[in-house]
Amino acid sequence: MSKKRTSRLYKSYFFVLILLLMVSAAPMVSAYTFSRFPWYSWIPADSVTPTPPTNPKPTDPPPATDPTPTPPPTSTTLQPITMTELEKSSLNAINNDRAKVSATPLKEDQYLNALAKKRAQHMLDTNTISHVIPDLGSPWTSLKSYNITYKSASENLQYGARSVLEAHMYLMNSYSHKSNILRKDFTHVGIAIIPNGKGGYLQVQLFANR
């Protein structure tokens, strides 16, 4: 075999080897990238301004028990608040879906409204869209701190939707949030919907069996 032919043969082998290495490496790079930077990476850290995703989705409800108790806030006084027309629209959407499963309609609770609004505003003020937030802690910590009695309670959060119907759609497409909306032992709800400063809204729904 001539030296020229041998040289070409080695170059061909080398080229094929490089292609194989590139193909085998590609899935690892993709997996690493998406595991490190998933779609929910927009949720804000302490010093990062949140940027809503193209299809904003609700935040998972908190677990059944309060994992991280937080000291109560300085003031434990709440002034009852009546729902706005926007918030009443959300309540109507909730009760329409509850009627489909023969669940009794939820009643507006003005103290739960006030607490939902306080938690929603505090989330935006502290740049923390979460069920456990600075000073106010978890939903159960807040309920106890403000002397709101309940047998059971839970919280839904939705950040980024531009309308009540859009937010309701996202919540109903999530099993855990839908379960809160349709849960038959819940009797009351408080709702807060406030602008997030980015063209959408933050909605907090506080459910309780009272």
Side-chain angles (χ1 to χ4, degrees):
M1 189 180 292
S2 67
K3 289 185 179 180
K4 272 189 178 182
R5 193 170 174 186
T6 304
S7 175
R8 286 177 187 170
L9 190 59
Y10 281 140
K11 284 179 180 179
S12 299
Y13 283 143
F14 182 73
F15 181 71
V16 170
L17 182 60
I18 292 297
L19 282 177
L20 288 172
L21 286 173
M22 289 174 66
V23 170
S24 62
M28 290 187 289
V29 172
S30 297
Y32 177 80
T33 302
F34 285 107
S35 66
R36 289 287 302 277
F37 303 98
W39 69 267
Y40 53 80
S41 61
W42 64 273
I43 294 177
D46 289 342
S47 59
V48 179
T49 302
T51 303
T54 306
N55 293 314
K57 295 191 178 182
T59 304
D60 285 337
T65 56
D66 188 353
T68 51
T70 303
T74 305
S75 171
T76 56
T77 303
L78 280 176
Q79 294 298 321
I81 297 175
T82 303
M83 286 183 185
T84 64
E85 290 303 313
L86 204 60
E87 291 154 358
K88 286 178 182 177
S89 297
S90 182
L91 177 57
N92 288 337
I94 288 171
N95 282 333
N96 285 341
D97 279 323
R98 286 177 67 84
K100 295 173 185 176
V101 296
S102 301
T104 55
L106 295 178
K107 298 175 183 176
E108 174 185 356
D109 188 300
Q110 294 186 2
Y111 285 97
L112 290 177
N113 288 342
L115 184 54
K117 185 171 184 179
K118 190 173 190 68
R119 286 179 61 79
Q121 190 61 57
H122 201 61
M123 288 178 200
L124 293 181
D125 290 345
T126 59
N127 206 24
T128 309
I129 310 301
S130 172
H131 292 291
V132 181
I133 53 179
D135 303 320
L136 295 178
S138 71
W140 303 282
T141 302
S142 294
L143 287 164
K144 291 173 184 174
S145 298
Y146 287 98
N147 301 311
I148 299 176
T149 58
Y150 65 96
K151 296 175 184 175
S152 57
S154 193
E155 178 182 70
N156 279 354
L157 303 180
Q158 205 292 319
Y159 180 93
R162 295 174 184 269
S163 71
V164 168
L165 290 179
E166 184 185 357
H168 188 70
M169 178 189 71
Y170 289 130
L171 291 167
M172 288 298 288
N173 283 334
S174 163
Y175 175 79
S176 51
H177 298 86
K178 180 179 179 179
S179 296
N180 281 339
I181 288 171
L182 302 181
R183 191 165 151 180
K184 292 188 176 181
D185 65 317
F186 285 151
T187 57
H188 294 76
V189 67
I191 299 174
I193 302 176
I194 57 177
N196 64 3
K198 297 185 177 297
Y201 295 94
L202 167 62
Q203 180 169 179
V204 176
Q205 300 172 344
L206 274 177
F207 301 91
N209 179 357
R210 301 197 67 194

